[in-house]
């Protein structure tokens, strides 16, 4: 497994189905999902040997 910190277009497309599996994000469009990634301070993807996205986490922070 490899870790990445920037999603290429292929990975952005693979990322949206992850959101479709969760109750709080299942109604998001692909465009909305891409926007969430774009405004996240930190994104980390987990890749398999075929360079497919198999895991994803994003970090949000608030500045005071």
């Amino acid at each position: 497994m490899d870790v990445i910190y920037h999603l290429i277009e292929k990975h952005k497309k693979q990322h949206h189905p992850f959101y479709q599996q969760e109750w709080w994000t299942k109604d998001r469009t692909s465009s909305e999902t891409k926007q969430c990634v774009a405004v996240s301070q930190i994104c980390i993807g987990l890749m398999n040997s075929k360079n497919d996205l198999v895991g994803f986490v994003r970090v949000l922070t608030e500045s005071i």
Side-chain angles (χ1 to χ4, degrees):
M1 300 267 175
D2 291 319
V3 175
I4 60 170
Y5 299 96
H6 301 286
L7 301 180
I8 61 173
E9 192 61 33
K10 171 186 174 180
H11 301 139
K12 290 176 185 178
K13 289 178 183 175
Q14 293 173 336
H15 170 253
H16 183 65
F18 294 151
Y19 276 133
Q20 299 298 291
Q21 296 175 30
E22 303 301 331
W23 66 268
W24 67 91
T25 54
K26 68 180 178 181
D27 295 326
R28 280 192 187 157
T29 65
S30 180
S31 178
E32 290 170 330
T33 299
K34 286 180 182 179
Q35 180 63 24
C36 288
V37 171
V39 299
S40 298
Q41 286 88 354
I42 300 170
C43 292
I44 302 171
L46 186 60
M47 313 303 296
N48 67 13
S49 61
K50 295 179 183 179
N51 196 33
D52 291 326
L53 190 68
V54 296
F56 178 82
V57 64
R58 68 188 185 111
V59 177
L60 304 171
T61 63
E62 294 182 26
S63 53
I64 297 177

